Amino acid sequence: MKIEVWSDYVCPFCYIGKRRLEMALEKFAHKDEVEVLFNSYELDPNTPRDIGQSIHEIIAGKYGVSVDEAKRMNEGIRQQAAEVGLTFNFDTMIPTNTFDAHRLTHFAKTQNKDKELTEKLLQAYFTESKHLGDHRILADIAAEAGIDRNEALAFLADEEALADEVRRDEQAAQQMGVRGVPFFVINQKYGISGAQPTETFLSALEKVWQEEQSGTVLQDLSGDNPQGGACADGSCDLPDQK
C-alpha cells in the first residue's frame, strides 16, 4: 500500500495529520507493507522569506480579527497538537517562504533521508521556532537528518536545483483538485482530506486493504468529522473553539 501526503512545513494541521496517520499505522495490522511518501505543497508561494510579523499578526490580518482573537484561535490548534504529543510554540514561530525547504526535501530523497528531514523540518518550525527560510539553518537541520551539511549548503545555493520537482508535486495536486493540505492519497485512488482523527485513518487503511479494486477515480474517505482541519491559500479552516 502506498500513501502519498501533500503538505507544507508551515501548515499546523499537516504536522497534526502526519502524527495521527502514524498513530493509525501503529494500530494497522499490515503497517510493514505500507509506504508513506511526502510531496510538496506551498500554502502561499508568494510569502516572502522574511516577513517581519508574528504568526498571530498574520492570522489576525487573514481573518480580519484582533491579535488576541488570533491567539485564541492558535491556542485551539496548540491543544489539538498536544493531544497527539506535539508541542506548538506559536508565540515564537517565524513565518517564512518554504520553497527552499521543499527543494531540500527532494535533495534528501536522493539519499533516502526525506522522511527524517520532513519530521525534523516540522519540529524545527512548530516546536523549535527555527527560520526555515535561512539556508544555514536548513543546512543544520539537514545535518540532523544525516545529510552532509556542506552538501546541503551547496545544493541550496543553486536556487533552481530540484525546483522543478517541487513544482511537479504542486501541479499533480492541482490536477487532482487538491485545494488544501494535508491531503492523503492511498494507492493513487483513495483520498483523505485534512487532519482527520486517528480512527478515520485506521478505518480508511482497513477499508482500502480489504476492498482494493481497480480504477483511477479518487474516492473521498475523509468522512463527516469536523475535527479534520486543513489549510489552503495561506489560511487554515479552524474548527469552532468554544
Side-chain angles (χ1 to χ4, degrees):
M1 184 183 295
K2 179 180 179 181
I3 304 175
E4 294 180 88
V5 186
W6 274 263
S7 63
D8 196 4
Y9 293 114
V10 294
C11 162
F13 291 118
C14 292
Y15 202 3
I16 294 171
K18 177 179 185 292
R19 194 60 88 243
R20 287 177 178 171
L21 172 63
E22 291 166 348
M23 293 168 68
L25 284 170
E26 285 301 311
K27 300 177 181 179
F28 185 52
H30 308 286
K31 66 178 181 179
D32 293 336
E33 300 179 61
V34 178
E35 178 186 16
V36 180
L37 301 175
F38 289 90
N39 297 327
S40 301
Y41 188 102
E42 296 172 273
L43 285 176
D44 185 358
N46 297 316
T47 298
R49 184 167 297 176
D50 297 295
I51 298 177
Q53 287 183 300
S54 72
I55 190 65
H56 300 309
E57 291 170 329
I58 292 174
I59 293 297
K62 287 185 181 297
Y63 291 100
V65 299
S66 68
V67 171
D68 285 342
E69 178 65 10
K71 289 182 178 180
R72 187 190 71 81
M73 295 163 67
N74 285 331
E75 173 60 19
I77 300 177
R78 187 200 66 76
Q79 291 176 9
Q80 290 189 49
E83 290 173 0
V84 292
L86 299 175
T87 300
F88 281 14
N89 293 312
F90 282 100
D91 289 344
T92 53
M93 283 179 193
I94 305 174
T96 187
N97 185 286
T98 58
F99 190 73
D100 285 341
H102 285 295
R103 287 199 303 115
L104 184 62
T105 306
H106 282 281
F107 178 68
K109 283 184 180 180
T110 67
Q111 302 183 23
N112 295 318
K113 297 290 185 181
D114 49 307
K115 292 181 179 62
E116 294 90 337
L117 183 62
T118 294
E119 175 66 24
K120 289 189 177 297
L121 285 168
L122 287 164
Q123 180 180 353
Y125 180 76
F126 286 104
T127 304
E128 300 169 352
S129 301
K130 292 184 177 179
H131 193 327
L132 297 192
D134 187 312
H135 286 186
R136 294 168 300 176
I137 292 176
L138 285 175
D140 289 340
I141 299 169
E144 293 175 6
I147 301 168
D148 183 270
R149 185 180 187 279
N150 291 329
E151 288 184 9
L153 269 178
F155 165 79
L156 289 166
D158 181 355
E159 295 185 356
E160 284 303 312
L162 296 182
D164 286 344
E165 297 298 319
V166 178
R167 299 182 182 112
R168 190 172 294 116
D169 279 356
E170 295 175 336
Q171 183 178 22
Q174 184 178 22
Q175 290 173 345
M176 286 190 296
V178 175
R179 294 292 180 266
V181 287
F183 193 82
F184 307 81
V185 175
I186 307 176
N187 288 354
Q188 297 187 324
K189 55 183 179 179
Y190 301 92
I192 300 175
S193 178
Q196 297 293 332
T198 299
E199 294 74 18
T200 300
F201 281 119
L202 182 57
S203 175
L205 291 169
E206 293 173 343
K207 177 180 175 64
V208 172
W209 186 266
Q210 295 170 3
E211 302 180 9
E212 176 68 310
Q213 57 187 0
S214 61
T216 59
V217 177
L218 200 65
Q219 299 184 38
D220 190 345
L221 302 180
S222 304
D224 299 323
N225 197 309
Q227 297 181 50
C231 300
D233 300 324
S235 301
C236 293
D237 182 12
L238 304 175
D240 185 23
Q241 305 293 331
K242 294 183 178 180

